[in-house]
Amino acid sequence: MKSWIMPCALLIFIATTIDTYATSPGFYLGAMAGLARNSGKEQLARLDGEPTIVEPKDRMGAFRLYMGYRFNWWAGWEFGGTIYTPVEYESSFDSDTSIKTGLATIDLVAVGYVSIAELFDIFGKIGPAVVYERASSNITKLADDKSHRIGITPTFSLGVGYNLTPNWLLDLTWTRLVNTKYLGKVDTVSLGISYHFVNRYCGQFLCDD
């Protein structure tokens, strides 16, 4: 809950101090960063030759680059890639051995919009995500698993965007990865900004002669 406070406060501050414009349909590029929490369970690992129960820390950082196309005021698509900071495992066993799991995703989602007074866009996203996981050999060798794993899981998002100008949009987004092997479901709250390739007066790209 606390992870929402600062992004929400920043969005409200900007919304009350800057003139607003509607963002038109068209192609866009964006980036977002935020905090994530996983629901990873205990794993059996080998530390200094001894089988030991380890548990992943639940906090992560996340950074996403994306591009998309908004067909009209209500619908579009988006393609993006997200990298998460490595997750370390904790154990009651006193050892200098470091155990980590890495996570990265590529997603293709459909996007639906509801615009409010040309100031805000409330949006939802849903689609498949390709998940790449890399785990320390302390875990995978004991379970006879591969250190690299690629899978597919559903992902969905809810968010609100604020039109800074006809080209720039600021958004606050909650995203869920439904399932990963080592970290369970992953929820992310992020603040993003995107540039929309539209002309302020003429719409997509260029004015007609």
Side-chain angles (χ1 to χ4, degrees), residues 151-174:
I152 297 178
T153 188
T155 182
F156 55 90
S157 304
L158 293 173
V160 58
Y162 179 77
N163 299 304
L164 296 172
T165 73
N167 299 98
W168 291 99
L169 183 139
L170 184 71
D171 68 84
L172 179 66
T173 306
W174 169 81

Side-chain angles (χ1 to χ4, degrees), residues 1-2 12 40 67 115 135 141 155 165 176 202:
M1 182 66 180
K2 292 182 179 180
I12 292 172
M67 64 179 182
S115 296
K141 285 185 177 179
T155 182
T165 73
R176 169 166 289 183
C202 306

Side-chain angles (χ1 to χ4, degrees), residues 43-142:
Q43 302 279 344
L44 187 62
R46 188 176 295 279
L47 294 178
D48 298 338
E50 296 294 328
T52 306
I53 297 296
V54 295
E55 185 174 6
K57 295 181 179 180
D58 63 353
R59 298 298 177 92
M60 312 157 65
F63 178 75
R64 181 173 186 256
L65 293 175
Y66 58 94
M67 64 179 182
Y69 190 86
R70 185 167 177 172
F71 304 118
N72 50 43
W73 300 111
W74 308 283
W77 63 266
E78 194 171 288
F79 174 78
T82 305
I83 297 178
Y84 297 85
T85 55
V87 176
E88 295 185 350
Y89 285 77
E90 297 178 314
S91 170
S92 58
F93 187 83
D94 187 14
S95 173
D96 294 330
T97 303
S98 177
I99 301 178
K100 297 181 180 180
T101 293
L103 177 66
T105 66
I106 295 175
D107 60 81
L108 179 63
V109 294
V111 188
Y113 302 90
V114 175
S115 296
I116 300 178
E118 297 187 349
L119 301 178
F120 295 95
D121 284 329
I122 297 175
F123 58 83
K125 307 176 185 179
I126 188 168
V130 177
V131 179
Y132 173 81
E133 295 180 85
R134 179 185 175 91
S136 297
S137 60
N138 309 70
I139 295 176
T140 58
K141 285 185 177 179
L142 197 59

Side-chain angles (χ1 to χ4, degrees), residues 4 29 32 37 56 61 71 84 88-89 110-111 133 144 162 164 183 194 198 205 209:
W4 282 86
L29 295 171
M32 56 174 51
R37 173 174 287 182
F71 304 118
Y84 297 85
E88 295 185 350
Y89 285 77
V111 188
E133 295 180 85
D144 198 26
Y162 179 77
L164 296 172
L183 300 176
S194 56
V198 295
F205 295 112
D209 292 332

Side-chain angles (χ1 to χ4, degrees), residues 2-3 33-37 59-62 84 187-191:
K2 292 182 179 180
S3 61
L35 299 175
R37 173 174 287 182
R59 298 298 177 92
M60 312 157 65
Y84 297 85
D187 292 333
T188 306
V189 176
S190 55
L191 192 64

